Amino acid sequence: MTIPRRRFLQLAGAATAASAIPRSAAALDYPNRPVRFVVGFPAGGQQDIMARLIGQWLSERLGQQFLVENRSGAGGNIGAEAVINSAPDGHTMLLVGSPNAINATLYDKLNFVFLRDIVPVASLARTPLVVEVHPSVPVKTIPEFIAYAKANPGKVNYASAGNGTPQHVSAELFKIMTGVSMVHVPYRGSAPALIDMLAGQVQVMIDPLPASIEFVRSGRLRPLAVTTVTRFPALPDLPTVNDSVPGYVADSWYGAGVPKGTPPEIVEVLNREINAGLADPKIKARITDLGATVLAGSPADFGNMLAAETEKWGKVVKASGAKAE
């Protein structure tokens, strides 16, 4: 039987439209049930707070609950693997952070390749670190500290929240770029490290600003500089390390990712709504209260940042000989 040309074209068009239905329908119907927002660290930390802040916004905007699920352990790898092994339908997300970029090199035998198996959705915020010393250390600037450390090789102890944490690799980068000798004293978390810092058991720490800002403001710890490219609004009189050590930049950051294979239409929906949240004055103010700054952008922007951070910290991990605990 011969099909008239006009009818043939109608049928062909219908077939083409039908083949496009599953993907577009998935995006139009998304989300159709609650979404898990996995955080690879315990409740109460900045990662957890950030996820709950954005999750609440997405719940209100998209009409389904975005439920934060804390899957802590192995420096965030347990949470990352749980998301990577989930269905790629946008109903499981990961709060991505700088530990994920560090872990790619720090851990020898992961069951996944982070840059391959996680699709970047959106960056969220960036948090500066602050170089701080106990008041007993006779320095007030980065050049003075470098001179002091070089005059006392191996006698300056620096604290971190554990091997491979941002505090650790940031200090190792500082050592590489300045040639100073410092002894690493790892703790199980930032809180116990700060306790010994306040007691003078260790002399220096490069810590995310939110954890230390009250001690800095009260004078119990002396800040030398922040680690971002430009000065931080909360401490406008504090210089950057980059002022004295050109090219030194180290910070913590947060973003969102989904499993490989998630339809791009869903990624676009999430990116659009997250960026709308980051532009909301109340959310921006809350992020500032956390000691961070908003970091909005496209999925491609976040993907480029992830690749650059993974390469940067991979070099530092290898040069320092750091190993996972």
Side-chain angles (χ1 to χ4, degrees):
M1 180 179 68
T2 303
I3 301 175
R5 177 177 173 78
R6 179 178 294 180
R7 179 58 176 159
F8 175 80
L9 292 174
Q10 288 174 342
L11 291 172
T16 301
S19 68
I21 285 174
R23 282 206 156 196
S24 59
L28 290 173
D29 193 35
Y30 174 80
N32 55 32
R33 61 181 186 276
V35 177
R36 292 192 304 150
F37 199 172
V38 177
V39 178
F41 296 90
Q46 193 172 40
Q47 298 95 330
D48 178 71
I49 295 171
M50 191 70 64
R52 292 179 190 279
L53 180 65
I54 297 301
Q56 179 61 36
W57 170 266
L58 291 174
S59 297
E60 295 170 359
R61 296 279 289 198
L62 295 176
Q64 288 283 355
Q65 290 296 308
F66 280 68
L67 304 172
V68 173
E69 180 179 313
N70 299 95
R71 298 286 295 270
S72 59
N77 287 325
I78 290 177
E81 187 166 2
V83 173
I84 287 166
N85 290 333
S86 298
D89 57 9
H91 289 87
T92 306
M93 295 171 55
L94 177 70
L95 192 285
V96 181
S98 44
N100 299 117
I102 297 166
N103 290 346
T105 306
L106 184 70
Y107 287 79
D108 293 330
K109 297 180 180 179
L110 291 175
N111 296 322
F112 56 86
V113 177
F114 194 80
L115 289 179
R116 180 195 67 196
D117 296 332
I118 285 288
V119 174
V121 170
S123 50
L124 300 175
R126 188 187 298 276
T127 302
L129 282 70
V130 59
V131 182
E132 57 199 12
V133 296
H134 186 267
S136 64
V137 181
V139 301
K140 294 183 178 179
T141 66
I142 290 294
E144 288 178 358
F145 177 74
I146 292 172
Y148 177 79
K150 287 185 175 180
N152 297 275
K155 296 181 180 180
V156 176
N157 296 328
Y158 79 88
S160 84
N163 287 333
T165 59
Q167 294 95 327
H168 177 203
V169 296
S170 296
E172 290 298 322
L173 179 62
F174 185 84
K175 287 171 59 178
I176 291 169
M177 295 185 69
T178 61
V180 302
S181 173
M182 299 189 296
V183 178
H184 180 210
V185 182
Y187 292 81
R188 291 193 175 276
S190 184
L194 283 169
I195 290 172
D196 274 9
M197 272 288 294
L198 294 167
Q201 298 298 316
V202 282
Q203 290 79 47
V204 62
M205 186 174 180
I206 304 179
D207 199 35
L209 187 58
S212 296
I213 193 167
E214 293 307 318
F215 300 123
V216 165
R217 286 173 171 164
S218 67
R220 297 181 68 188
L221 294 175
R222 181 184 300 137
L224 304 184
V226 290
T227 62
T228 40
V229 175
T230 58
R231 297 191 179 201
F232 191 66
L235 297 170
D237 296 328
L238 199 61
T240 70
V241 178
N242 183 60
D243 292 336
S244 304
V245 186
Y248 182 93
V249 179
D251 48 27
S252 288
W253 44 264
Y254 310 102
V258 290
K260 180 181 68 174
T262 300
E265 296 89 349
I266 290 177
V267 173
E268 290 171 10
V269 168
L270 289 168
N271 178 267
R272 182 182 66 243
E273 297 301 338
I274 287 172
N275 282 331
L278 296 178
D280 180 78
K282 291 183 179 179
I283 290 184
K284 289 180 74 173
R286 179 63 179 127
I287 289 175
T288 299
D289 289 342
L290 291 171
T293 55
V294 165
L295 186 62
S298 68
D301 292 334
F302 188 37
N304 290 336
M305 177 181 148
L306 277 173
E309 288 286 294
T310 300
E311 180 181 9
K312 172 182 176 177
W313 294 119
K315 292 177 180 177
V316 174
V317 168
K318 289 177 181 178
S320 68
K323 298 293 183 181
E325 294 177 323

